[in-house]
Amino acid sequence: MSNPFSLDSIVRPNILKLKPYVCARDDYTSGILLDANENSFGTILQNEKLLTEELNLNRYPDPNQVLIKKRLVSFRGLPSIDYFFLGVGSDEIIDLIIRIFCVPGKDKILITPPTYGMYSVCANINDVGIVNVNLDVEDGKFQLKTEEISKGLKENPTVKIIFLCSPGNPTGTILSKEDIKTILNDSCFNGIVVVDEAYIDFVEEKKEASVAKWVEQYPNLIVMQTLSKSFGLAGVRLGIGISDPKIIRLMNNTKAPYNINSLTSEIVFKALSPENIERMKTICQQIRAEQIKLMSSISHLSGIGKFLGGNDANFILVQILNKKGEKPSNEGAYSVYKNLAEKLGIVVRFRGNEFGCEGCLRITVGTSQENKTLKEKLRIALEQ
Ligand SMILES: Cc1ncc(COP(=O)(O)O)c(C=O)c1O
């Protein structure tokens, strides 16, 4: 008898249709890597030794990661460890939040393109619908259209979660706190507002852009942060969820028991010491200073258009113009992207297909030396 097994017929249909998260690193892995908004200056940890023999690696890690959460309490100024959840990067937290609040095949999330791709990927994995309400992209301002969001919520009563990103990726722009408040106060919405603050430490402190402390007033707010960017620890995979203790409890009940491994835990605990937090702040300032230098050094190159957005994170979003230099061009931007990666040893990210980002490349701010090389190679790529 022939085996009746047919893989396609037993996979969940939404998984079969899935378009996975794709990144420039799928295609290019070497050269100067300015594609993923990592911290080009390196990790903030200096000369720290991992005492693996003292880590008791034969034991499971602390399921609650109390020591790390205690450090987060003082760092982020919240009342107790009960306001914190730790995940395997923010990416695990995005998936977890969708699984907790959205019924597959029934509920939806609302996103505001152009935005971070993983919200849609996780929604698709969980068979959860997506409502798009684009940002106001005029003149690269990249702000929320609160009335349209409110309309979108009325028309789609099954929306359970709104994902906002501040500073945004790929927009590099902090959202108006008043607008976030308007959404949180929407009397028609019985759901969760997630504010993804992956890049928050790059924003000047005086702008007071974080809404993390608002979790004490708004029981439906979840703020996500990460050690992948400002702390230069993308490799250890540590994301932070900040919310009302009732929501944190749900997240803890849903996660895998020992999601944060002991090696990650040891490094993160050290990274969150008061001295290392100060180092992190200094490095963020240095990266922002390099960002200004980078923008002014490439702005005069022939073929470079406008810089879009507020430049509030560790990257820039820049238009590449058509051959005549009249308007932003996806064809031009894609060919610069390919030439940089394949002939000139620099990997950046093509973002021209994102709403409001026609002809755009997103470029992570590198070290001073990397930015000088970038300028030179970009000039060559623009001429080709
Ligand atoms: C806006 C945003 N959120 C979350 C992430 C992912 O963070 P993590 O490394 O903590 O999973 C990224 C990574 O690029 C991002 O840009």
Side-chain angles (χ1 to χ4, degrees):
M1 236 169 57
S2 69
N3 188 329
F5 178 68
S6 143
L7 183 64
D8 286 5
S9 71
I10 62 164
V11 177
R12 284 163 54 187
N14 64 305
I15 301 290
L16 208 55
K17 276 196 299 197
L18 209 62
K19 290 200 185 73
Y21 182 81
V22 278
C23 50
R25 216 63 66 84
D26 289 323
D27 296 325
Y28 309 112
T29 50
S30 61
I32 297 181
L33 300 173
L34 303 177
D35 56 309
N37 304 338
E38 295 144 335
N39 193 320
S40 307
F41 283 39
T43 127
I44 58 143
L45 294 174
Q46 269 190 331
N47 307 320
E48 311 259 1
K49 288 204 181 58
L50 255 189
L51 302 172
T52 35
E53 65 277 15
E54 286 176 22
L55 284 181
N56 293 327
L57 292 177
N58 59 321
R59 301 292 174 198
Y60 284 108
D62 174 3
N64 299 313
Q65 294 296 330
V66 170
L67 295 178
I68 292 177
K69 289 179 186 169
K70 280 188 175 159
R71 289 204 150 166
L72 287 172
V73 165
S74 60
F75 176 36
R76 292 309 191 197
L78 280 151
S80 76
I81 64 170
D82 300 339
Y83 286 77
F84 292 95
F85 174 82
L86 301 183
V88 182
S90 312
D91 288 342
E92 185 194 17
I93 304 182
I94 296 166
D95 179 66
L96 205 62
I97 295 170
I98 294 179
R99 282 196 283 139
I100 291 172
F101 294 103
C102 294
V103 177
K106 174 172 171 269
D107 290 331
K108 294 182 179 155
I109 64 165
L110 186 149
I111 60 170
T112 62
T115 193
Y116 182 49
M118 278 301 285
Y119 314 137
S120 313
V121 171
C122 291
N124 290 331
I125 290 171
N126 289 294
D127 202 8
V128 160
I130 302 165
V131 175
N132 290 288
V133 179
N134 294 333
L135 291 177
D136 179 358
V137 298
E138 213 187 304
D139 299 327
K141 65 165 95 72
F142 295 129
Q143 289 300 314
L144 298 169
K145 289 181 160 176
T146 51
E147 282 175 19
E148 304 243 333
I149 291 175
S150 182
K151 197 164 143 248
L153 293 173
K154 279 205 194 83
E155 285 167 3
N156 296 279
T158 54
V159 168
K160 290 283 185 64
I161 308 168
I162 302 172
F163 280 96
L164 308 177
C165 193
S166 179
N169 174 6
T171 70
T173 305
I174 45 176
L175 296 174
S176 143
K177 282 169 93 175
E178 277 313 304
D179 288 349
I180 298 176
K181 203 175 265 179
T182 303
I183 292 167
L184 281 163
N185 288 330
D186 191 321
S187 56
C188 295
F189 181 52
N190 175 23
I192 300 292
V193 177
V194 177
V195 181
D196 183 345
E197 294 189 341
Y199 300 96
I200 199 69
D201 295 320
F202 294 106
V203 184
E204 285 169 82
E205 269 184 74
K206 68 170 190 285
K207 289 196 181 170
E208 297 184 350
S210 176
V211 295
K213 277 170 161 289
W214 290 5
V215 301
E216 289 184 80
Q217 300 155 47
Y218 291 100
N220 63 333
L221 171 64
I222 302 176
V223 174
M224 293 193 307
Q225 298 177 348
T226 178
L227 269 73
S228 296
K229 311 294 179 181
S230 53
F231 284 85
L233 288 170
V236 309
R237 313 301 302 125
L238 198 284
I240 303 163
I242 307 173
S243 191
D244 182 275
K246 283 195 185 137
I247 290 183
I248 297 295
R249 212 166 306 131
L250 289 170
M251 294 169 89
N252 280 326
N253 294 347
T254 313
K255 77 176 174 75
Y258 308 105
N259 62 335
I260 308 302
N261 72 72
S262 301
L263 299 171
T264 293
S265 172
E266 161 90 348
I267 292 171
V268 169
F269 180 73
K270 288 182 169 160
L272 290 171
S273 72
E275 309 80 66
N276 280 328
I277 287 173
E278 281 314 304
R279 266 182 59 74
M280 176 277 284
K281 290 181 182 170
T282 308
I283 290 172
C284 285
Q285 280 169 9
Q286 290 168 352
I287 289 174
R288 292 297 302 276
E290 276 301 326
Q291 180 184 45
I292 293 167
K293 280 199 245 165
L294 171 65
M295 287 164 65
S296 82
S297 84
I298 66 172
S299 61
H300 304 298
L301 295 179
S302 159
I304 290 286
K306 285 192 203 145
F307 296 95
L308 299 190
N311 307 304
D312 293 311
N314 65 335
F315 55 87
I316 57 171
L317 187 65
V318 60
Q319 291 173 334
I320 305 297
L321 302 178
N322 65 359
K323 278 271 170 267
K324 290 185 182 154
E326 296 159 330
K327 55 177 187 181
S329 152
N330 269 0
E331 203 188 325
Y334 194 70
S335 111
V336 168
Y337 161 73
K338 290 276 273 187
N339 278 339
L340 278 176
E342 290 174 10
K343 300 189 187 143
L344 300 162
I346 301 192
V347 188
V348 301
R349 192 95 203 256
F350 172 70
R351 293 283 78 183
N353 293 331
E354 303 295 307
F355 181 77
C357 301
E358 175 90 27
C360 279
L361 297 179
R362 193 196 68 198
I363 307 178
T364 309
V365 178
T367 59
S368 177
Q369 187 51 52
E370 286 173 337
N371 295 337
K372 280 192 191 119
T373 311
L374 169 69
K375 180 193 168 187
E376 203 36 48
K377 306 284 181 186
L378 192 54
R379 190 183 56 72
I380 298 168
L382 284 161
E383 279 166 9
Q384 278 172 354

